[in-house]
Amino acid sequence: MGFLSASASFTRYRIIEEIPDTLWPEIADRLRRNAFKDIDHTADERSFGWVAFDDMLDADWRSAPPQKGEFITMGLRLDTRRIPPAVFKKHLALALADEMERMEQTKGKAYVSRDRKNELKEQTKLRLMARTLPIPAQFDVVWNVTSGVVYLASIQSKLRALFEDMFTMTFDLHLEPMTPYYQALARMGEERASVLDDLEPTVFV
């Protein structure tokens, strides 16, 4: 769910480095250089990149600029092709049956080597990938340039890792999740880190 939904789960980050003033005029160009590329007409398994916050089909920011007041907004779009296991199993079985029939007719034995089986698996996967439409998903990102806090509308660990890598690659800045530990340390001070490290959970049941 995105930030424009009635409810949303999100992860907060802070930017570790000091942000150079030269970055701000380059925001739009940096996003376009790392924009999402469509894979509808390919057999690629996955594609990801930036799109406009307001329109997941807009990878050129024609509908609206990323800057909105004191915020920079964008969407991380991730398209993934998934072949249902039962479909793959069926088509692989058909390919193996055809191969065994061909082997029997040409060499007099119905035997398929391990290497050939692996080759048929790859061919079957590519063939089905080309016939399968990718499933699109967009994850909203809001960057408060005043506070330096970045919000990602997801708590999935794999998606968070992908986002962190994309953010660093795009803006040359590193993110740190604002976990409860970080929040407590920011208020207590680094000199009291040992107090937090020595805390033990309380069992109420």
Side-chain angles (χ1 to χ4, degrees):
M1 304 294 287
F3 288 121
L4 298 181
S5 304
S7 62
S9 298
F10 60 90
T11 303
R12 288 190 301 174
Y13 295 90
R14 76 178 185 96
I15 297 172
I16 298 175
E17 303 94 340
E18 184 176 346
I19 303 173
D21 292 336
T22 55
L23 175 67
W24 306 119
E26 300 175 357
I27 292 292
D29 288 337
R30 285 174 178 254
L31 288 171
R32 290 190 185 96
R33 286 200 297 268
N34 296 277
F36 173 82
K37 292 180 175 57
D38 205 298
I39 56 171
D40 280 359
H41 303 293
T42 72
D44 293 346
E45 188 170 359
R46 189 173 77 153
S47 179
F48 53 86
W50 304 115
V51 293
F53 181 89
D54 315 82
D55 183 359
M56 71 182 301
L57 302 179
D58 184 4
D60 296 312
W61 280 266
R62 294 192 181 96
S63 57
Q67 295 88 351
K68 291 177 172 55
E70 63 179 292
F71 299 96
I72 294 173
T73 62
M74 56 263 194
L76 177 59
R77 180 170 166 182
L78 171 62
D79 280 23
T80 308
R81 277 189 169 89
R82 297 189 183 94
I83 303 172
V87 173
F88 179 76
K89 183 178 179 180
K90 169 193 169 183
H91 285 270
L92 178 59
L94 290 171
L96 287 170
D98 290 342
E99 183 69 10
M100 290 180 69
E101 183 178 351
R102 186 185 68 81
M103 291 288 291
E104 189 172 15
Q105 291 176 354
T106 58
K107 298 185 179 181
K109 58 180 181 179
Y111 174 78
V112 182
S113 68
R114 179 179 296 179
D115 289 343
R116 180 55 179 160
K117 285 180 180 179
N118 290 333
E119 187 178 343
L120 287 172
K121 284 182 181 180
E122 288 299 317
Q123 291 176 356
T124 301
K125 180 180 178 180
L126 286 174
R127 187 168 63 253
L128 291 176
M129 281 287 185
R131 295 168 57 185
T132 304
L133 290 175
I135 302 170
Q138 175 178 328
F139 302 90
D140 293 343
V141 179
V142 175
W143 177 0
N144 187 324
V145 299
T146 302
S147 66
V149 177
V150 180
Y151 301 85
L152 168 67
S154 177
I155 57 174
Q156 302 174 31
S157 57
K158 290 183 179 180
L159 193 281
R160 285 171 48 195
L162 173 63
F163 164 68
E164 291 161 16
D165 290 342
M166 277 293 296
F167 193 92
T168 298
M169 183 174 68
T170 304
F171 303 112
D172 294 321
L173 298 170
H174 295 83
L175 296 171
E176 180 179 66
M178 295 176 66
T179 61
Y181 179 91
Y182 163 80
Q183 295 286 75
L185 195 61
R187 285 163 173 75
M188 295 172 60
E190 295 282 347
E191 65 278 0
R192 302 196 64 189
S194 60
V195 176
L196 291 173
D197 295 337
D198 293 338
L199 288 176
E200 296 183 1
T202 299
V203 178
F204 293 99
V205 179

